[in-house]
């Protein structure tokens, strides 16, 4: 009995977590997929009616706005965060004296929650309280910076706040990658008279391809599920000008009482995540098998 217990102890310990994940993660994913194929509104229905909810979803102007905002937000957030993070990492890689203090300053925003970041940037960008009011107080009465209340520019305020939040994290990833490059290769290139910028462009950065891919996956995941930052900064407004798929799903589920639409939008979000993550996992497993 004691030997059996010792052999099966790991399974006994892991069983509750495994069952909880099976029910509360995969079980609810299956439930959401089922509900998305019904005519559910305020209350769920379980008679499958086909892809009616998806047809309604793709015919919705608000969903079109949410997806367009996701393309804008995701593209700028991922691209600028990676470029800025790489530049900061290269600057810190020059072995400067105050590297520790500067690295802490760059990483500090990542320690804040998205709610805090959104609230802080809401104050900064508020035309009556923040940057615009400050510049006007200096005597520049014609200065305007009303992106927060401008429907055409409001999504870019979300981009600014998200980049400020995450670029330090990307910098830390790239800095670790830079420090892992074989210094002998760099010294050999410098002995051959190759300029420093060329060493980075032709040797160091190409060798960091797996880190670039990892950073892209993390940032893409953050962009797709972005919710709290939008709620704190713009509330999805003006109107629904800054809606993203996650805020659309929340509005359908808890404000509009349309569970079917919420479920359909959730499944589309999951498919987008899978489209990004699955190829990455496949390439990783294939590389290990090779």
């Amino acid at each position: 009995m004691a030997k059996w217990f010792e052999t099966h102890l790991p399974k006994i310990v892991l069983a509750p977590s495994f069952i909880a994940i099976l029910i509360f993660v995969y079980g609810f994913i299956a439930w959401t997929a089922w509900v998305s194929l019904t005519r559910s509104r305020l209350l769920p229905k379980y008679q499958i009616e086909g892809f009616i909810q998806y047809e309604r979803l793709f015919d919705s102007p608000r969903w079109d706005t949410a997806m367009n905002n996701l393309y804008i937000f995701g593209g700028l957030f991922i691209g600028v965060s990676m470029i800025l993070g790489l530049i900061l990492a290269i600057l810190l890689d020059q072995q400067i004296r105050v590297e520790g203090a500067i690295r802490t300053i760059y990483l500090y925003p990542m320690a804040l929650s998205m709610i805090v970041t959104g609230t802080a940037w809401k104050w900064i960008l508020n035309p009556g309280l923040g940057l615009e009011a400050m510049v006007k107080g200096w005597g520049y009465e014609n200065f305007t910076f009303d992106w927060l209340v401008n429907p055409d520019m409001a999504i870019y305020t979300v981009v600014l706040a998200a980049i400020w939040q995450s670029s330090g994290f990307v910098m830390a990833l790239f800095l670790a990658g830079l420090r892992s490059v074989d210094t002998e290769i760099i010294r050999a290139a410098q002995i051959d008279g190759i300029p420093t910028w060329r060493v980075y462009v032709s040797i160091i950065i190409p060798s960091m391809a797996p880190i670039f891919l990892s950073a892209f996956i993390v940032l893409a995941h953050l962009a797709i599920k972005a919710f709290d930052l939008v709620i704190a900064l713009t509330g999805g407004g003006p109107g629904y000008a800054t809606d993203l798929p996650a805020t659309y799903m929340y509005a359908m589920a808890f404000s509009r009482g349309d569970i079917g639409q919420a479920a359909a939008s959730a499944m589309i979000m999951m498919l987008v995540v899978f489209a990004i993550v699955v190829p990455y996992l496949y390439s990783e497993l294939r590389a290990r098998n090779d």
Side-chain angles (χ1 to χ4, degrees):
M1 184 66 182
K3 186 175 181 180
W4 180 92
F5 185 79
E6 182 179 353
T7 303
H8 292 83
L9 180 61
K11 298 178 182 177
I12 296 172
V13 172
L14 292 175
S17 299
F18 176 78
I19 294 172
I21 291 173
L22 193 63
I23 295 173
F24 294 104
V25 177
Y26 297 104
F28 279 109
I29 289 175
W31 181 85
T32 302
W34 186 284
V35 170
S36 72
L37 299 174
T38 68
R39 291 184 180 270
S40 299
R41 289 284 188 160
L42 181 61
L43 296 175
K45 299 178 181 179
Y46 297 104
Q47 183 179 355
I48 293 181
E49 300 286 350
F51 296 96
I52 296 173
Q53 297 291 355
Y54 294 94
E55 293 174 1
R56 289 180 57 213
L57 183 70
F58 294 130
D59 288 339
S60 170
R62 184 169 181 176
W63 176 254
D64 289 341
T65 300
M67 290 303 293
N68 289 334
N69 285 340
L70 179 61
Y71 297 142
I72 296 171
F73 173 73
L76 292 176
F77 169 58
I78 295 171
V80 177
S81 291
M82 292 183 70
I83 293 171
L84 185 59
L86 179 62
I87 292 173
L88 294 176
I90 291 174
L91 293 176
L92 284 180
D93 193 43
Q94 307 308 309
Q95 306 293 339
I96 58 179
R97 289 185 179 181
V98 292
E99 176 187 334
I102 295 176
R103 186 170 62 240
T104 301
I105 293 171
Y106 289 159
L107 284 172
Y108 175 74
M110 198 65 192
L112 303 176
S113 69
M114 286 290 188
I115 292 292
V116 175
T117 297
T119 302
W121 278 89
K122 186 176 183 178
W123 292 339
I124 293 171
L125 299 175
N126 189 309
L129 300 173
L131 180 64
E132 181 177 328
M134 182 182 68
V135 175
K136 285 184 176 180
W138 292 344
Y140 299 94
E141 294 294 335
N142 294 325
F143 177 81
T144 58
F145 194 81
D146 61 349
W147 286 13
L148 193 63
V149 296
N150 185 336
D152 295 327
M153 302 300 296
I155 188 62
Y156 299 103
T157 64
V158 183
V159 174
L160 286 174
I163 291 171
W164 181 82
Q165 171 90 12
S166 301
S167 58
F169 168 73
V170 179
M171 176 213 69
L173 287 179
F174 287 155
L175 184 60
L178 291 172
R179 296 287 167 82
S180 66
V181 176
D182 190 354
T183 56
E184 294 300 324
I185 298 176
I186 300 174
R187 290 174 183 171
Q190 291 174 340
I191 291 174
D192 290 340
I194 300 176
T196 302
W197 68 269
R198 184 76 182 196
V199 173
Y200 275 100
V201 171
S202 300
I203 299 175
I204 299 177
I205 293 178
S207 68
M208 293 169 56
I211 298 175
F212 276 90
L213 182 58
S214 298
F216 173 81
I217 294 296
V218 171
L219 294 176
H221 181 257
L222 291 175
I224 294 169
K225 70 173 191 177
F227 171 78
D228 41 3
L229 178 62
V230 178
I231 293 299
L233 181 56
T234 65
Y240 50 83
T242 56
D243 248 359
L244 291 173
T247 59
Y248 177 91
M249 178 184 65
Y250 176 85
M252 292 297 110
F254 298 105
S255 300
R256 301 286 294 274
D258 196 338
I259 295 177
Q261 280 291 279
S265 60
M267 295 308 299
I268 295 298
M269 288 175 59
M270 188 181 71
L271 290 176
V272 174
V273 172
F274 281 178
I276 295 172
V277 174
V278 170
Y280 168 73
L281 294 177
Y282 174 77
S283 64
E284 287 291 309
L285 292 174
R286 185 175 180 182
R288 290 180 183 178
N289 291 333
D290 292 342

